[in-house]
Amino acid sequence: SIQALKTRDDNVVAFCEDRILKVQANKEAVFMADNDPNIVATDRVLGHVSTFKGEYGISKNPESLAWDQYRLYFTDKNRGAICRLSRDGITPISDAGMRDFFNDHLANAQSIVGSYDGKKNEYNITIHEITHPNSKKNVYTLGYKENVKGWTSFKSFIKESGLSMSNEYYTFKNGDMYL
């Protein structure tokens, strides 16, 4: 099933549970409507669908999707991976020294919240995990930076959502906003 949609260039990226699709959008199409002899032209068409290489999807965690310019970040809980979709395709960025950590902690995640800090150029992921129904909830926030190609730190804040605006990074928790 489709979990999230995001436009990129002149295409739509469809994040499904077990794959990521690229759908051509806004291309010209000419057709005959309902066997009517009149020909109709429109640019409101979704065209050819293709899959990105790799066996990744967004599972059922569309809240993990975040982006900066042409890079799209998301989690695949089912495969224990954090991924980046860029011009060169899908890359599992969780493999940058954190493969075992994410494989272990994503399995028990209740929610996985992603956001992009445009001020620090960092993808932040917050994992809300329950290891056992009667145990306490473990929550982790980690940051990934492109310029070091790795996970730079565990964060002290826990967010329910986050966004960048006017070169500032805002997070939200319990209805409160933090800068």
Side-chain angles (χ1 to χ4, degrees), residues 31-94:
F31 61 95
M32 293 192 310
D34 299 330
N35 295 324
D36 188 330
N38 297 324
I39 294 178
V40 178
T42 183
D43 64 352
R44 298 179 189 158
V45 174
L46 294 176
H48 178 72
V49 176
S50 60
T51 59
F52 286 96
K53 290 182 182 178
E55 297 293 321
Y56 296 101
I58 199 167
S59 300
K60 291 196 176 200
N61 301 99
E63 70 277 10
S64 70
L65 179 62
W67 57 89
D68 174 54
Q69 298 174 9
Y70 58 89
R71 291 185 191 108
L72 304 169
Y73 299 91
F74 62 96
T75 63
D76 187 339
K77 177 182 173 179
N78 295 341
R79 291 167 182 83
I82 311 289
C83 298
R84 177 192 66 226
L85 173 59
S86 190
R87 291 191 173 130
D88 60 350
I90 298 174
T91 303
I93 60 174
S94 52

